[in-house]
């Protein structure tokens, strides 16, 4: 077959829909001409199916000899897999989800996103940024309204659950604490999200985050004091010999915990260079602050937030804490991470917006303290609490223990009273059942027979004399059969009975008519 032959449009359509196992071949409709190329096309099978569908099995046997006109092969560009969105770390606030959802919705609006990026910390804290809410699109406002309604519903459920759990006699509900939950939104308007809601949300989040770290430090202090209190109480329960052994073991664990490599000061050149070398795998002699910043700005928002900063301290923390070691406390490790982050924020975050920009980071590397070598004092090397604080804490524990014991005794008395009451109720229940059974038996024994009735419903009465037995004669009396005076009195008795029956029927007729 000559390659200059014209392929019909039907054949070209078939070729366009065919694919070979060894590659993708795409042909266009038209005429394929070549004087220097020989090609052999063989169609094996063309089958028409229902609905004008065809299954075409094509074996293309072609040999291109010499320098000929080649057919371009179009390869589909591989689709770039989109990375899943980075999940924002939990801020620890009780309205964290509501805060993050509001921010995500606002960032979908182009105008507000530009204003947010251009705003500084003072504009955000003062509520100036909240005025831009009036310029966002309608569908964004609709989503914000829905988020607020969901948050109000959630808070109502929380308040109801708390009130149900504490609704007892002589229990005072702290209404101030309940209303405090609504400080991050306008509780007067529970249906729409307005500029006032955004302003309250920003102010509440800023204040709560500033107090959040202090609350974590206080919680850690109480944890350490409780741990020391329990250790001392345990030593008191031991005899002299076992007490010495336990104290020696405690000192050995403390000594073993302190045997670790040098911990660099967070944010110093030694600490950042170590991350540059071990985590990033780069030459420590070629450390570049800008490159380092971009590498660890994992979400690409051009700032290092608190979570991204804390991730830089992992190598330093691994020098001191190992979850496999008994002497290493992982709660102390989290306190150590918090202290490191606060140290960096204090020296790098100039505007105190809890974010580190590229400019702030580069300026911190130009300071004299950045290049000074030094070590970092870990938590176990610092004094967390004083003996006076420990003494007051133990007094609080004693008072709490006494209150709990008193409450436990009250609950025990209530339990005993309830058990005694249950016994009394069971006895009353048995007595009631017996009384009911006796009443049923009496009713069965004293069942009244129904008087007989006539064909027309009238009552029938039995003569009273029918049940009277004849009086037996007294002993010693004589009876003379023929004497008139001794004759039986049957006719007069029968007459009296008949008259009595007639009188009874007359008396019964008015009552019977009334019943009808």
């Amino acid at each position: 077959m000559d390659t200059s032959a014209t392929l019909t449009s039907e054949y070209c359509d078939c070729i366009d829909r065919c694919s070979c196992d060894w590659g993708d071949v795409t042909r266009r409709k038209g005429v394929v001409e070549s004087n220097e190329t020989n090609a052999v096309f063989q169609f094996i099978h063309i089958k028409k199916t229902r609905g004008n569908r065809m299954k075409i099995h094509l074996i293309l046997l072609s040999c291109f000899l010499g320098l000929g006109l080649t057919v371009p092969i179009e390869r589909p560009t591989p689709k770039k897999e989109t990375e899943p969105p980075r999940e924002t770390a939990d801020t620890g606030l009780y309205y964290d989800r509501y805060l993050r959802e509001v921010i995500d919705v606002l960032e979908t609006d182009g105008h507000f996103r530009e204003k947010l990026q251009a705003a500084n910390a003072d504009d955000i804290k003062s509520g100036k940024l909240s005025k831009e809410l009036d310029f966002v699109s309608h569908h964004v406002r609709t989503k914000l309204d829905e988020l607020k309604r969901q948050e109000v519903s959630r808070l109502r459920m929380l308040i109801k659950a708390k009130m149900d759990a504490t609704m007892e006699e002589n229990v005072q509900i702290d209404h101030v604490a309940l209303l405090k939950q609504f400080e991050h939104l306008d509780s007067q308007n529970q249906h729409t999200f307005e500029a006032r809601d955004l302003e309250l949300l920003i102010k509440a989040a800023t204040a709560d985050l500033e107090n959040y770290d202090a609350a974590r430090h206080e919680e850690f202090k109480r944890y350490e004091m409780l741990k020391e209190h329990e250790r001392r109480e345990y030593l008191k329960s031991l005899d002299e010999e076992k007490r010495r052994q336990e104290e020696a073991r405690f000192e050995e664990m403390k000594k073993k915990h302190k045997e670790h490599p040098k911990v660099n000061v967070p944010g110093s050149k030694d600490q950042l260079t170590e991350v540059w070398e071990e985590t990033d795998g780069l030459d420590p002699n070629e450390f570049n602050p800008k490159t380092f910043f971009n590498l660890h700005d994992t979400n690409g928002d051009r700032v290092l937030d608190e979570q991204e900063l804390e991730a830089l301290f992992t190598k330093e923390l691994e020098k001191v804490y190992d979850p496999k070691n008994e002497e290493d406390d992982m709660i102390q490790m989290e306190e150590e991470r918090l202290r490191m982050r606060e140290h960096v924020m204090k020296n790098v975050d100039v505007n105190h917006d809890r974010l580190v920009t590229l400019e702030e980071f580069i300026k911190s590397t130009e300071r004299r303290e950045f290049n000074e070598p030094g070590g970092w004092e870990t938590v176990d090397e610092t004094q967390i609490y004083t003996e006076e604080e420990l003494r007051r804490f133990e007094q609080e524990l004693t008072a709490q223990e006494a209150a709990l014991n008193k409450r436990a005794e009250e609950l025990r008395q209530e339990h005993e009273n309830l058990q005694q009451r249950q016994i009394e109720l069971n006895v009353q229940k048995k007595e009631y059942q017996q009384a009911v059974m006796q009443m049923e038996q009496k009713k069965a024994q004293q069942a009244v027979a129904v008087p007989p009735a006539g064909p027309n419903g009238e009552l029938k009465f039995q003569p009273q004399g029918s049940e009277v037995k004849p009086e037996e004669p007294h002993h010693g009396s004589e009876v003379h059969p023929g004497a008139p005076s001794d004759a039986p009195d049957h006719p007069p008795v029968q007459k009296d009975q008949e008259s009595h029956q007639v009188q009874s029927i007359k008396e019964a007729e008015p009552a019977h008519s009334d019943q009808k």
Side-chain angles (χ1 to χ4, degrees):
M1 180 185 297
D2 190 3
T3 58
S4 60
T6 303
L7 297 178
T8 62
S9 61
E10 180 181 0
Y11 288 160
C12 290
D13 291 339
C14 295
I15 293 174
D16 290 337
R17 292 192 297 267
C18 292
S19 60
C20 300
D21 295 339
W22 64 84
D24 298 331
V25 179
T26 304
R27 297 187 180 275
R28 300 179 179 178
K29 298 178 183 180
V31 179
V32 178
E33 296 183 356
S34 176
N35 294 328
E36 299 178 355
T37 305
N38 293 325
V40 178
F41 296 91
Q42 181 179 6
F43 292 95
I44 300 300
H45 180 65
I46 300 177
K47 182 181 180 181
K48 292 185 177 181
T49 58
R50 294 179 181 180
N52 294 330
R53 295 180 179 178
M54 294 187 300
K55 291 185 178 179
I56 305 175
H57 298 277
L58 173 65
I59 299 177
L60 177 60
L61 304 176
S62 60
C63 298
F64 298 93
L65 303 177
L67 298 175
L69 182 62
T70 60
V71 179
I73 299 177
E74 297 179 2
R75 299 184 182 276
T77 57
K79 296 182 179 180
K80 185 178 181 181
E81 297 182 358
T82 59
E83 297 181 357
R86 179 176 176 267
E87 185 178 358
T88 308
D90 194 342
T91 59
L93 304 176
Y94 68 90
Y95 51 90
D96 172 76
R97 180 177 178 179
Y98 175 67
L99 174 64
R100 289 187 287 113
E101 288 178 345
V102 169
I103 294 175
D104 293 340
V105 172
L106 288 174
E107 287 183 345
T108 60
D109 186 84
H111 172 78
F112 191 87
R113 184 172 58 252
E114 293 178 359
K115 294 295 183 180
L116 180 62
Q117 293 176 354
N120 53 31
D122 294 334
D123 294 339
I124 297 176
K125 293 180 180 180
S126 63
K128 182 179 178 180
L129 186 64
S130 60
K131 298 179 181 178
E132 300 296 333
L133 186 66
D134 298 332
F135 302 99
V136 300
S137 58
H138 176 70
H139 73 279
V140 172
R141 294 295 296 269
T142 303
K143 291 181 180 179
L144 293 175
D145 294 343
E146 180 64 23
L147 290 178
K148 182 177 179 179
R149 286 191 289 267
Q150 293 176 2
E151 178 68 5
V152 171
S153 177
R154 183 186 72 89
L155 292 175
R156 286 176 177 173
M157 293 177 61
L158 290 177
I159 292 177
K160 184 178 183 303
K162 185 174 181 178
M163 294 180 66
D164 293 342
T166 57
M167 284 301 292
E168 299 178 358
E169 296 182 359
N170 300 326
V171 175
Q172 295 182 355
I173 300 176
D174 190 0
H175 296 279
V176 177
L178 294 178
L179 293 176
K180 186 179 184 301
Q181 300 183 51
F182 291 93
E183 288 187 354
H184 63 285
L185 50 79
D186 185 9
S187 58
Q188 301 299 326
N189 177 17
Q190 301 180 5
H191 303 286
T192 58
F193 190 95
E194 305 296 338
R196 175 65 175 167
D197 293 285
L198 182 58
E199 180 181 356
L200 291 175
L201 181 60
I202 293 173
K203 290 183 178 180
T206 303
D208 292 341
L209 287 175
E210 290 177 352
N211 300 327
Y212 182 67
D213 292 342
R216 287 181 60 182
H217 288 309
E218 184 64 25
E219 183 180 354
F220 176 74
K221 180 192 289 188
R222 295 181 66 86
Y223 166 77
E224 288 291 316
M225 290 190 293
L226 178 61
K227 188 168 63 173
E228 178 63 19
H229 170 73
E230 292 178 348
R231 188 186 73 85
R232 293 183 181 183
E233 292 296 321
Y234 175 69
L235 292 176
K236 292 179 182 180
S237 64
L238 302 177
D239 55 29
E240 189 66 25
E241 182 179 358
K242 290 184 177 180
R243 187 182 300 114
R244 287 197 301 268
Q245 294 177 0
E246 185 64 24
E247 289 178 348
R249 174 177 170 274
F250 178 72
E251 294 297 330
E252 180 65 23
M253 290 178 61
K254 288 177 61 178
K255 181 180 179 181
K256 186 177 180 180
H257 175 71
K258 293 180 179 179
E259 295 176 353
H260 55 74
K262 174 188 173 183
V263 180
N264 298 313
V265 177
S268 64
K269 182 178 180 180
D270 293 339
Q271 190 261 325
L272 298 182
T273 304
E274 190 172 303
V275 175
W276 174 274
E277 180 180 5
E278 298 184 8
T279 304
D280 302 331
L282 301 175
D283 188 356
N285 297 323
E286 298 179 357
F287 176 78
N288 184 281
K290 184 176 181 179
T291 304
F292 183 91
F293 182 93
N294 294 329
L295 285 174
H296 295 278
D297 179 18
T298 55
N299 58 358
D301 58 354
R302 297 182 295 179
V303 292
L304 296 179
D305 55 28
E306 295 178 348
Q307 288 73 33
E308 291 170 337
L309 283 176
E310 290 181 355
L312 300 177
F313 313 139
T314 303
K315 285 294 180 181
E316 301 299 324
L317 295 173
E318 290 177 351
K319 297 177 182 179
V320 186
Y321 301 97
D322 187 351
K324 299 179 181 178
N325 296 336
E326 182 183 4
E327 66 274 6
D328 297 337
D329 190 345
M330 295 298 104
I331 297 181
Q332 285 185 353
M333 184 186 71
E334 293 305 320
E335 175 68 12
E336 197 79 68
R337 192 191 303 273
L338 174 60
R339 293 174 67 244
M340 289 182 174
R341 190 248 297 165
E342 288 180 335
H343 175 79
V344 173
M345 283 293 188
K346 181 180 179 181
N347 296 290
V348 181
D349 185 17
V350 179
N351 57 359
H352 305 290
D353 61 349
R354 305 178 74 91
L355 298 172
V356 177
T357 62
L358 178 60
E359 292 76 14
E360 292 174 336
F361 183 76
I362 294 178
K363 287 182 179 180
S364 67
T365 60
E366 297 173 354
R367 296 175 183 173
R368 179 174 56 86
E369 296 83 1
F370 178 76
N371 297 315
E372 290 182 355
W376 173 260
E377 291 185 357
T378 57
V379 172
D380 56 288
E381 297 174 347
T382 58
Q383 186 178 8
I384 305 300
Y385 55 87
T386 63
E387 284 295 327
E388 179 63 22
E389 291 176 335
L390 179 60
R391 185 184 63 81
R392 289 197 300 266
F393 177 76
E394 290 177 341
Q395 291 178 353
E396 292 178 6
L397 290 180
T398 304
Q400 292 177 3
E401 185 178 0
L404 290 176
N405 292 335
K406 181 180 178 181
R407 181 58 180 164
E409 181 64 22
E410 293 175 354
L411 292 175
R412 187 185 65 81
Q413 291 291 342
E414 292 179 4
H415 180 68
E416 292 179 356
N417 295 336
L418 290 175
Q419 286 183 334
Q420 184 65 26
R421 181 60 179 165
Q422 184 65 35
I423 295 174
E424 295 175 358
L425 291 175
N426 291 335
V427 173
Q428 293 178 2
K429 181 179 179 181
K430 290 181 180 179
E431 294 177 354
Y432 175 75
Q433 292 176 348
Q434 292 177 359
V436 171
M437 292 177 62
Q438 292 176 0
M439 292 177 63
E440 294 293 337
Q441 292 175 359
K442 289 181 180 180
K443 287 182 179 179
Q445 294 174 359
Q446 298 177 357
V448 180
V450 180
N456 295 327
E458 66 276 8
L459 297 176
K460 288 186 176 182
F461 297 92
Q462 296 293 334
Q464 295 180 358
S466 62
E467 297 180 356
V468 178
K469 295 182 180 180
E471 184 178 359
E472 295 180 359
H474 296 285
H475 180 69
S477 64
E478 295 181 358
V479 178
H480 301 280
S485 59
D486 298 331
D489 297 333
H490 293 293
V493 172
Q494 183 177 3
K495 184 177 179 180
D496 294 339
Q497 291 177 353
E498 290 176 356
S499 62
H500 182 72
Q501 183 176 4
V502 171
Q503 184 66 24
S504 300
I505 292 174
K506 289 181 178 180
E507 294 177 354
E509 285 180 354
H512 185 67
S513 61
D514 293 341
Q515 291 179 0
K516 291 182 179 181

